[in-house]
Structure formats: structure tokens, C-alpha cells
């Protein structure tokens, strides 16, 4: 068996860095798009009009029940078809991620709003505030405060999710590493690197979040 | 001022209010008592439309609460409510809590609202707590802020839902004193649960059990000789200590 | 959009057979992973609450490790790296003689990943129960080990059937990553059909529907289980 060749990492640094940049792009777009989409979905789900809330609920239910891999395949197939011309894996993947994560962000936002004490909306109403005033001035500020740690934690989850673009051969960090692993015949070194890098980023991220949370609970 | 006519309400198949009728005149102080689950909180929350009711009519200052055409937020601006769990807005200071509705419902300018809020907070004895957040206040202080918050809307009547039930015993007095002062100033008040307050300050006492109003007499008659057996049992249990 | 619909293609052989086979592999991977996850999760979850500091630390390391590395990376580590770093004979056996190497690897990888998540649920359940019941149990003279075995564990585990449902669903969906090492699960077969027939919409739609239905069935089964066990759990 060949001895380990850790130099392969140094030699492929540029390629890996490009992969990591793509991973970062995926995370940023998925998060921003997901939060905006999720907020919209949450608003729809809270609507008393069933023709608005039911499809939104259905959408969220489906997205949360189906593997991300399948969603990636769906949009890799669907997006070029819908646009009418071939499109790169990146665009399909971005669309897939935004639409997928929106469902999860929707549930986080809904839970945040629902977790505000029921008495708060009653108290606001009792002083004559209208429903949307109560939402804006009393409920949402409290809900956001509660949601922020969960939203931030979701970013770490999204970051891990982006590794799945492997299945559509998009060259993010994970896929780039696996390309080198098979090209140079160095799976041990590359996959160990992948594990270490993801671990470092996610662990530090979660730890920072936990500390921030503890600091807030003076 | 507040008129209830044959009010019925059910949660699903469980009846919670069965044909409640009573009338509260301007300036009257009425206490509603009864065992837990008798419907007292539900009844008081129907009066300002926080809880819907199924049958019957409720009028507040001539406005029908159950009427679909009624602008409920406008009605609620005329009636103040104080909750068992205070329900102060945790992300605002005491002053901001009291000013919020003045600014956004009565459309007062912030400076004017804050002046009025300060006045009220001084009146309930919290002059030095204007900039404090609810988390920094004791239960009794929070409840007094919540009374100020309700008074800030210059209400025609005040509803109190078990105002001291969630307080430690040593803080009950400070809240009851504020309520007593309000009563002496001529405020129309409906209060649930406060037996001591009833004995000292109330004009009338209503006794509820299983969703019905079983007794509706003036204070003296209620405490001396309640008519119904259930009221007698309740009184004997409650007044033991 | 220039698309020819043909839902019938899914009923024709060999495509129908592919779908059935895919469903079978998905269920196999999920069930296997669930068993591993439950076993590992129980062990680690309990270990995280034990008095011995070293055991607690080891359990904490397990959880942090398996939660902060993406499941796909874990799968690749087990598949590509693990056989190379164990003693030569073991590695050889894994690569040559072990039956269904892809399935086993997927089950181990996804199972241990899920185990970390289950461990957290177990720990939360025991903690929540323990706060109320442990003092009471100890006050009647039970020793900590007895209190744990007779009171905390049975009640704590019943209390988390609900949260465990969502973990099981996560594992169920995660089974799809096994396609990267060659397991032809439902997702893989739907893509397989798309490659051959270009009727991707139908293929993916059916796969979506199957995941939905199976997911609902799993939730319903866990709900029924939760209801049967509920009376023994304390309200938290």
C-alpha cells in the first residue's frame, strides 16, 4: 500500500479553495433566499384565507418530507426544461437550495411567532392595538429575538447540506476534494481533510453560537 | 355601562358560559368570584371581545360587542384590562409600555404620551422605575405598571382578571391599594376573584359556578347570607383563613 | 415547454421493477440505520449523564464529531478511508469478503450519524424527567443506579418517542446519500429511469409521492406508539 502523501493537499490548494468559495456561495444564497422565502411562506401559512395557507402548508410539508438529493435531481432536470435551454448545475442547485431551505426557515419563523406568550397579543389587543400593529410592535420583536439563535444554527446545517451537490457533480469543496481523491488516487488524505475542515468550521460555528446565547442570558 | 344579556359560550361541546346576565352601572365596583373553572375569566374576556361568545348580547357603553359591524379595537381602547400574568411587553421599558397604545391608537405625540405615562406611573407609586424593563421589576411592580398601561387610554371602565393571583403575598397589598384608589375615584370596575377586595371595596358581588351566575347581590348581603348552597360552601372554604 | 408526458412508462418493465427495487433498498438502508442509530444513541445518550467524567467526555466527543461532519463526508470516510486504516486482514475482508459492502457501509455511516442526534434526544429526555423524578426516587432510598434503571430510563425513553419520530424521518431521508456509493435506492432508481426514458417529471414525481407516503406512515406509526406509551410519561 502506498504511504500517505499529505502533500497532495498543498498541491491542490487552489482547486480546493475554489471549491470552498462555491460552497460559501451556496450557503449565502440558500440562507438569504431561504429566509426571505421562508418569511413569505410563514406569512401565507398564517393567513386566514385557506386558498393561501393550504398550498403553502402543502409545499412546506412536501419539501420537509423529501430527501435533498431528490430535490437536487428535480431541479437539475426541471430548471433547464422550464427555461427552455440547457443551464448549468450551479443555477439549478441554487434554485433547489433556496426553495428547499425556505420550507425549513418557514417553520423556524412560525415557531418563533407561536412561542410568544399568547397573553402578549391579548394584552396588546386589550389596549386597542389592531392585529397588524400588535404584530409589528409587540409580537415580532419578541419572536425575532427568540428566532435568531435558531436561524443562525440553521446556517451551519445549510453549510453541511451543500456538500450534497456532489450528486449533480457541482464542484463545491466536497466534490472538489473527491475529484482529487480519485484523480490522484488519494482518498484517505482528501476525505480526512474534508472531515477536518467541515468539523472545524461547524464546531467553531456552533460553539460561538452557544457562547453568544449564554452571554445573552445574563 | 356594561350590560350582559343571556351570554352563552362553549368550547367545542363543553359549555363554559350558560346564560349569564348582569348589568354594571357607571362607577360601580363589581367582584366576580367562584371556584376555578366557573367561567369568571372567560366572562370578563368576552366583555372586551378577547373571547368570542356564541349566544346573547353584551353592550359596553352602548356599543354591542358581538355585532360583526363593531370596531373591536376601538371598543377595547375604551375599556382597560389588567391580566393575571401582567403581560408587560418585555422588550420595552415601563414608560414605553404605558406609552405604546397612546402613540399608536390615540395618535398622541411621543412627548405628550410619555408625559402622561410618567404621570400615571408616579400615581401608581413607580416614579423611579420609568426606564426599567419588566425583567427588572417585581411582580407587584409589574402589575402596577400594567394598571398604568390600561389607565393611559383614559378608559370608561376597567376589567381586572385575577390581578393578584400570580403575586407573592407581600406584594398583593400594593396592587390592591392602587385598585382601591381607582374605585374611590369613581372608576367602573369589574374584578374577578379578589375576595378581600370584595369585602372592603366592592359595591356588588357576583358568584359564578359551572358557567352560571348564581348570586348577584350587594356586598353586604352576599357575605352575610348568600342564597344558594354552592355560594355558601364556597364562602366557607374561602373565608376560613 | 416541449415535454411529452407518459405516466404509463412507470408501469412498464423494467422501470416498474426498478422502482420497487429502489423502494426496497431505501427501506433496508433506513431500517438498518435506525437500528444502529437507536443502539448508539441510547448508549451515548445515557453515557452523557453518567457520573464518570471520562465517559461523559468521550460521549460528548462522539456527539460533536458526528454532528459537525456532513453525513456524506462520513459516508466517504467509512467507505474509502476506514478499510485502509484498519489492520490489513480486516481491510481485505471488508473490501472482498463482506456481503453487501455498500449497504453495510451506508447503514454504519448513516446509523452512527443518526446516533449522535438520537443521543441528544435521549439526554434531553432523561434530563427533563430526572429533574422531577430523580430527587423523588432518591428520597425513597433508591440508589442512583436503581433510580436510573427503574425510573429515569423507562419514563425518559417514553417521553421522547415524539422527538425520536423526527430523527427517524431525518434518517429515512438521509438514506438517499447511499446512492453515492452505489446503493440503488429509490432516489437513484428515479434518476436511473430519467436517464433511460427522459420522463424525469413522472419518475421524480412518483419517487416524491412514495417518500411522502412512507414518511406519513412512519409518522403515524410512531404517533400510535407515542399514544400507547404516553400515560406512563410525565408531562414536561
Amino acid at each position: 500500500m502506498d504511504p500517505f502523501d499529505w502533500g497532495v493537499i498543498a498541491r491542490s490548494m487552489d482547486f480546493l479553495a475554489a471549491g470552498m468559495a462555491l460552497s460559501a456561495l451556496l450557503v449565502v444564497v440558500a440562507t438569504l433566499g431561504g429566509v426571505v422565502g421562508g418569511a413569505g411562506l410563514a406569512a401565507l401559512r398564517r393567513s386566514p384565507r385557506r386558498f393561501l395557507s393550504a398550498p403553502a402548508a402543502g409545499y412546506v410539508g412536501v419539501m420537509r418530507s423529501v430527501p435533498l438529493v431528490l430535490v437536487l435531481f428535480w431541479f437539475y432536470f426541471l430548471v433547464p426544461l422550464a427555461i427552455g435551454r440547457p443551464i448549468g448545475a450551479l443555477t439549478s442547485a441554487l434554485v433547489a437550495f433556496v426553495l428547499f431551505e425556505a420550507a425549513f426557515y418557514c417553520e423556524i419563523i412560525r415557531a418563533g411567532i407561536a412561542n410568544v406568550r399568547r397573553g402578549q397579543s391579548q394584552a396588546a389587543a386589550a389596549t386597542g392595538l389592531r392585529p397588524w400593529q400588535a404584530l409589528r410592535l409587540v409580537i415580532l420583536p419578541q419572536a425575532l429575538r427568540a428566532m435568531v439563535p435558531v436561524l443562525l444554527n440553521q446556517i451551519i446545517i445549510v453549510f453541511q447540506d451543500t456538500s450534497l451537490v456532489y450528486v449533480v457533480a457541482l464542484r463545491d469543496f466536497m466534490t472538489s476534494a473527491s475529484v482529487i481523491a480519485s484523480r490522484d488516487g488519494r482518498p484517505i488524505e482528501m476525505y480526512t481533510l474534508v472531515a477536518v475542515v467541515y468539523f472545524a468550521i461547524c464546531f467553531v460555528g456552533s460553539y460561538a453560537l452557544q457562547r453568544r446565547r449564554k452571554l445573552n442570558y445574563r | 355601562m356594561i350590560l350582559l344579556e343571556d351570554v352563552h359560550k362553549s368550547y367545542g361541546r363543553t359549555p363554559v358560559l350558560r346564560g349569564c346576565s348582569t348589568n354594571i352601572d357607571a362607577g360601580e365596583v363589581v367582584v366576580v368570584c367562584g371556584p376555578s373553572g366557573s367561567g369568571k375569566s372567560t366572562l370578563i374576556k368576552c366583555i372586551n371581545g378577547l373571547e368570542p361568545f356564541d349566544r346573547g348580547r353584551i353592550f359596553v357603553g352602548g356599543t354591542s360587542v358581538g355585532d360583526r359591524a363593531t370596531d373591536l379595537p376601538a371598543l377595547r381602547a375604551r375599556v382597560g384590562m389588567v391580566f393575571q400574568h401582567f403581560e408587560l411587553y418585555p422588550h420595552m421599558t415601563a414608560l414605553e409600555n404605558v406609552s405604546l397604545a397612546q402613540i399608536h391608537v390615540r395618535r398622541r405625540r411621543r412627548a405628550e404620551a410619555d408625559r402622561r405615562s410618567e404621570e400615571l406611573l408616579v400615581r401608581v407609586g413607580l416614579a423611579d422605575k420609568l426606564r426599567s424593563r419588566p425583567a427588572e421589576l417585581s411582580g407587584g411592580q409589574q402589575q402596577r405598571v400594567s394598571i398604568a398601561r390600561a389607565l393611559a387610554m383614559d378608559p370608561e371602565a376597567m376589567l381586572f382578571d385575577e390581578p393578584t393571583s400570580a403575586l407573592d403575598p407581600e406584594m398583593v397589598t400594593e396592587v390592591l391599594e392602587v385598585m382601591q384608589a381607582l374605585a374611590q375615584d369613581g372608576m367602573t370596575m369589574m374584578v374577578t376573584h379578589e375576595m378581600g377586595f370584595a369585602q372592603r371595596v366592592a359595591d356588588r358581588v357576583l358568584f359564578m359556578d359551572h358557567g352560571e351566575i348564581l348570586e348577584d347581590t350587594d356586598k353586604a348581603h352576599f357575605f352575610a347570607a348568600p342564597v344558594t348552597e354552592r355560594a355558601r360552601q364556597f364562602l366557607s372554604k374561602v373565608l376560613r383563613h | 415547454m416541449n415535454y411529452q408526458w407518459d405516466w404509463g412508462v412507470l408501469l412498464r418493465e423494467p422501470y416498474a421493477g426498478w422502482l420497487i427495487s429502489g423502494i426496497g433498498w431505501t427501506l433496508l438502508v433506513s431500517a438498518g440505520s435506525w437500528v444502529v442509530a437507536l443502539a448508539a444513541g441510547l448508549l451515548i445518550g445515557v453515557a452523557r449523564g453518567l457520573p464518570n467524567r471520562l465517559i461523559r467526555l468521550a460521549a460528548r466527543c462522539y456527539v460533536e464529531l458526528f454532528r459537525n461532519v456532513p453525513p456524506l463526508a462520513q459516508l466517504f470516510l467509512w467507505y474509502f478511508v476506514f478499510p485502509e486504516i484498519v489492520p490489513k486482514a480486516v481491510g481485505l475482508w471488508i473490501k472482498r469478503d463482506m456481503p453487501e459492502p455498500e449497504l453495510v457501509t451506508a447503514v454504519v455511516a448513516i446509523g452512527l450519524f443518526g446516533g449522535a442526534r438520537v443521543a441528544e434526544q435521549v439526554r434531553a429526555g432523561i434530563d427533563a424527567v430526572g429533574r422531577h423524578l430523580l430527587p423523588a426516587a432518591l428520597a425513597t432510598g433508591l440508589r442512583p443506579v436503581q433510580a436510573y434503571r427503574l425510573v429515569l430510563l423507562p419514563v425518559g425513553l417514553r417521553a421522547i418517542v415524539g422527538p425520536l419520530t423526527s430523527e427517524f424521518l431525518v434518517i429515512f431521508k438521509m438514506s438517499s446519500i447511499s446512492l453515492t456509493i452505489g446503493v440503488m435506492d429509490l432516489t437513484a432508481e428515479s434518476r436511473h429511469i430519467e436517464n433511460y426514458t427522459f420522463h424525469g417529471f413522472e419518475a421524480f414525481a412518483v419517487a416524491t409521492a412514495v417518500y411522502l407516503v412512507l414518511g406519513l406512515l412512519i409518522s403515524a406509526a410512531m404517533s400510535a406508539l407515542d399514544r400507547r406509551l404516553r400515560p406512563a410519561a410525565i408531562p414536561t
Side-chain angles (χ1 to χ4, degrees):
Chain A
M1 200 181 304
D2 298 345
F4 295 141
D5 173 21
W6 297 97
V8 67
I9 298 174
R11 288 196 298 279
S12 346
M13 197 54 87
D14 288 343
F15 192 60
L16 290 171
M20 184 54 89
L22 191 72
S23 292
L25 175 67
L26 287 167
V27 173
V28 168
V29 173
T31 300
L32 291 177
V35 170
V36 171
L41 282 169
L44 286 175
R45 284 200 71 172
R46 279 169 54 91
S47 165
R49 299 196 180 88
R50 283 213 64 191
F51 77 90
L52 288 175
S53 66
Y59 173 88
V60 171
V62 170
M63 278 300 174
R64 284 164 50 102
S65 310
V66 166
L68 178 52
V69 174
L70 184 58
V71 175
L72 285 168
F73 284 161
W74 255 120
F75 286 96
Y76 189 67
F77 161 80
L78 211 55
V79 173
L81 213 61
I83 296 189
R85 56 183 176 84
I87 218 120
L90 179 59
T91 315
S92 320
L94 286 170
V95 172
F97 265 110
V98 168
L99 293 176
F100 183 75
E101 297 295 342
F104 290 87
Y105 278 115
C106 167
E107 293 304 282
I108 292 174
I109 292 171
R110 277 188 52 208
I113 292 180
N115 277 337
V116 177
R117 290 173 56 96
R118 188 164 167 263
Q120 289 289 301
S121 49
Q122 284 191 341
T127 51
L129 288 164
R130 299 194 174 271
W132 57 268
Q133 286 176 312
L135 192 69
R136 182 169 70 91
L137 299 163
V138 174
I139 307 295
L140 279 182
Q142 296 183 55
L144 281 170
R145 221 155 283 217
M147 268 190 255
V148 164
V150 189
L151 288 174
L152 290 178
N153 194 54
Q154 186 68 12
I155 297 181
I156 296 177
I157 295 174
V158 173
F159 179 54
Q160 293 195 17
D161 282 348
T162 60
S163 63
L164 291 180
V165 293
Y166 176 88
V167 302
V168 290
L170 196 59
R171 298 251 174 107
D172 76 322
F173 180 66
M174 162 72 90
T175 313
S176 305
S178 72
V179 163
I180 297 172
S182 56
R183 186 189 67 188
D184 290 5
R186 295 280 156 212
I188 299 174
E189 293 87 335
M190 296 316 296
Y191 290 128
T192 308
L193 174 73
V194 164
V196 167
V197 169
Y198 271 109
F199 179 82
I201 296 177
C202 296
F203 182 72
V204 169
S206 324
Y207 188 71
L209 281 181
Q210 271 183 10
R211 286 216 40 192
R212 184 184 174 278
R213 211 186 301 202
K214 286 213 182 84
L215 285 175
N216 277 342
Y217 283 158
R218 251 160 306 132
Chain B
M1 159 119 282
I2 299 178
L3 175 66
L4 280 77
E5 279 178 8
D6 197 35
V7 176
H8 290 257
K9 180 185 171 69
S10 300
Y11 280 128
R13 277 204 242 133
T14 320
V16 179
L17 296 175
R18 306 176 209 223
C20 299
S21 302
T22 190
N23 177 38
I24 303 178
D25 293 322
E28 267 202 292
V29 176
V30 172
V31 172
V32 183
C33 65
S36 67
S38 53
K40 319 187 289 287
S41 283
T42 313
L43 187 71
I44 205 173
K45 287 192 178 147
C46 286
I47 293 178
N48 66 351
L50 283 182
E51 292 275 358
F53 52 97
D54 304 323
R55 260 174 37 217
R57 296 194 296 173
I58 300 180
F59 291 91
V60 176
T63 313
S64 168
V65 176
D67 195 337
R68 215 171 290 200
T70 308
D71 184 8
L72 276 179
L75 171 70
R76 293 179 188 138
R78 292 160 44 205
V79 177
M81 181 167 242
V82 174
F83 296 81
Q84 180 181 358
H85 295 288
F86 337 133
E87 299 301 348
L88 292 182
Y89 311 132
H91 56 301
M92 297 182 185
T93 64
L95 194 72
E96 287 164 347
N97 261 273
V98 180
S99 296
L100 185 73
Q102 292 183 65
I103 296 171
H104 293 275
V105 178
R106 292 257 182 265
R107 305 240 155 261
R108 288 180 193 153
R109 322 258 319 271
R110 176 168 288 278
E112 189 198 334
D114 283 351
R115 230 179 308 129
R116 176 93 177 107
S117 302
E118 186 171 340
E119 216 177 275
L120 286 167
L121 286 168
V122 169
R123 186 167 149 196
V124 299
L126 292 169
D128 57 333
K129 298 287 183 196
L130 300 179
R131 313 243 171 265
S132 302
R133 287 182 184 254
E136 300 160 11
L137 300 175
S138 72
Q141 292 167 331
Q142 288 186 54
Q143 195 63 302
R144 285 186 277 153
V145 173
S146 114
I147 295 176
R149 177 175 67 177
L151 289 175
M153 300 298 283
D154 301 314
E156 297 160 21
M158 290 274 284
L159 306 172
F160 291 80
D161 187 17
E162 304 208 27
T164 64
S165 296
L167 293 176
D168 289 335
E170 68 268 16
M171 293 190 250
V172 168
T173 323
E174 64 197 57
V175 173
L176 288 182
E177 278 172 0
V178 171
M179 290 168 62
Q180 193 162 334
L182 267 182
Q184 278 159 359
D185 285 342
M187 174 66 77
T188 313
M189 293 167 66
M190 186 186 204
V191 181
T192 62
H193 202 70
E194 297 291 341
M195 297 310 287
F197 183 80
Q199 280 181 301
R200 270 198 297 276
V201 184
D203 298 313
R204 265 167 52 216
V205 177
L206 269 58
F207 174 74
M208 281 185 77
D209 195 9
H210 288 103
E212 291 178 278
I213 299 180
L214 295 181
E215 301 258 356
D216 186 351
T217 45
D218 63 86
K219 166 178 65 182
H221 275 113
F222 180 77
F223 283 105
V227 173
T228 60
E229 176 57 28
R230 276 187 274 180
R232 273 197 290 271
Q233 281 177 359
F234 177 76
L235 264 186
S236 70
K237 280 193 215 136
V238 163
L239 295 180
R240 195 117 28 120
H241 46 123
Chain C
M1 194 169 14
N2 189 10
Y3 189 78
Q4 321 264 34
W5 297 87
D6 182 12
W7 291 90
V9 72
L10 299 165
L11 298 172
R12 286 199 290 275
E13 291 301 337
Y15 311 119
W18 290 355
L19 276 178
I20 307 286
S21 154
I23 295 175
W25 282 107
T26 291
L27 289 173
L28 211 55
V29 172
S30 302
S33 306
W34 181 228
V35 169
V36 172
L38 201 54
L42 278 173
L43 218 66
I44 304 291
V46 168
R48 289 206 61 179
L50 291 177
N52 185 322
R53 277 196 68 195
L54 227 59
I55 295 182
R56 272 208 316 270
L57 189 64
R60 172 100 197 274
C61 285
Y62 172 98
V63 171
E64 291 297 337
L65 207 62
F66 284 83
R67 290 188 72 179
N68 286 304
V69 178
L72 189 62
Q74 294 184 34
L75 182 64
F76 286 168
L77 279 174
W78 284 107
Y79 193 64
F80 293 113
V81 178
F82 183 70
E84 308 296 335
I85 58 176
V86 291
K88 206 147 179 216
V90 181
L92 229 55
W93 177 78
I94 291 177
K95 283 187 282 192
R96 258 208 323 232
D97 300 318
M98 182 170 75
E100 301 293 359
E102 293 84 19
L103 176 66
V104 172
T105 311
V107 164
V108 167
I110 299 173
L112 290 179
F113 158 77
R117 299 176 61 109
V118 171
E120 288 299 271
Q121 299 287 357
V122 169
R123 184 177 71 102
I126 294 178
D127 276 352
V129 169
R131 218 173 301 137
H132 303 292
L133 294 185
L134 187 59
L138 291 177
T140 62
L142 286 171
R143 279 202 286 274
V145 176
Q146 292 174 306
Y148 223 67
R149 187 167 61 86
L150 299 167
V151 179
L152 288 197
L153 276 184
V155 181
L157 291 177
R158 278 186 180 79
I160 57 170
V161 173
L164 277 184
T165 308
S166 76
E167 296 310 331
F168 188 14
L169 289 172
V170 167
I171 291 172
F172 172 61
K173 289 185 285 178
M174 201 53 76
S175 64
S176 57
I177 67 170
S178 60
L179 64 78
T180 60
I181 58 172
V183 176
M184 291 304 279
D185 79 320
L186 175 59
T187 309
E189 292 290 7
S190 67
R191 190 137 200 239
H192 194 192
I193 295 176
E194 189 236 337
N195 282 336
Y196 271 67
T197 68
F198 298 105
H199 288 291
F201 202 94
E202 295 88 324
F204 293 139
V206 170
T208 303
V210 172
Y211 276 112
L212 275 172
V213 169
L214 286 176
L216 285 171
L217 284 174
I218 293 170
S219 295
M222 293 292 276
S223 245
L225 187 66
D226 188 27
R227 253 178 319 206
R228 280 197 57 191
L229 297 178
R230 248 303 105 180
I234 58 164
T236 30

